[in-house]
Amino acid sequence: QALGLSLRRVEDPVKAAADLLERGRIVGGCQGRFEWGPRALGQRSLLALPHDPAVRERLNRVIKRREPFRPFAPAVLEGRAAELFDGAPNDMTPFMTTVCPVRERPGDRSLAAVTHVDGTARVQTVSPESASFLHPLLEAVGQRTGAPVLLNTSLNGPGEPIVASATDALA
């Protein structure tokens, strides 16, 4: 409250996040154990629907304040990854360290915000064991949009480390 923010407890955080995403909002998530490594894998993430390239531009310009050409990664349900990305899933995709060609679907721009200019994406596959909040959120998004994919990037600002606490997340 000292920051001028209002608190509201939600009964179903997955549904609440899916509702916000469906309305075009960017959702910040900070839960569970701190992640260690070069990528945010769902415990400390900014998430958005991957359909509109304008969301990528907004994230780069306003939130991350970085160069406009910097790409964002898609988080996708492990069991559906092969439908959308050639070469996924594989042993490295759970860690967002593999670049895969995006499967072309005629007339479909549903992955525009996470597709690099060369037609690839740095894919993160998500299982129930790897991300207890992100997995059901991807299921909910998939039911609503037909594609269980979210743009996923680290929850931090320019020059800052990934957030470690709820206080960091609010800042």
Side-chain angles (χ1 to χ4, degrees):
Q1 292 172 343
L3 296 173
L5 301 172
S6 60
L7 292 172
R8 180 173 56 99
R9 186 170 300 277
V10 295
E11 191 171 312
D12 185 347
V14 169
K15 182 185 180 313
D19 290 345
L20 289 168
L21 290 163
E22 191 173 37
R23 293 197 318 257
R25 299 289 178 86
I26 296 167
V27 173
C30 176
Q31 63 109 37
R33 293 174 39 183
F34 181 79
E35 294 173 319
W36 184 259
R39 307 280 179 252
L41 301 176
Q43 301 291 89
R44 306 287 191 276
S45 291
L46 292 169
L47 304 165
L49 289 179
H51 311 138
D52 187 358
V55 77
R56 177 185 59 228
E57 293 165 21
R58 181 173 172 226
L59 274 163
N60 272 330
R61 184 175 28 85
V62 178
I63 297 173
K64 302 291 272 184
R65 292 183 295 221
R66 63 186 203 175
E67 301 87 355
F69 62 84
R70 304 265 307 264
F72 293 106
V76 60
L77 288 178
E78 183 179 56
R80 302 273 309 273
E83 298 170 29
L84 301 165
F85 305 99
D86 286 331
N90 64 51
D91 290 344
M92 297 306 291
T93 55
F95 309 106
M96 202 190 294
T97 56
T98 300
V99 174
C100 299
V102 176
R103 286 188 179 265
E104 290 192 32
R105 300 182 301 178
D108 183 12
R109 298 278 301 145
S110 65
L111 301 177
V114 295
T115 302
H116 306 223
V117 294
D118 66 356
T120 65
R122 190 181 65 224
V123 177
Q124 174 197 2
T125 52
V126 179
S127 68
E129 302 77 32
S130 68
S132 62
F133 176 76
L134 186 54
H135 188 273
L137 181 57
L138 286 166
E139 289 181 322
V141 166
Q143 289 172 352
R144 294 170 187 228
T145 69
V149 182
L150 286 171
L151 179 154
N152 179 15
T153 190
S154 59
L155 179 57
N156 65 323
E160 297 176 343
I162 195 166
V163 302
S165 67
T167 302
D168 289 345
L170 288 172

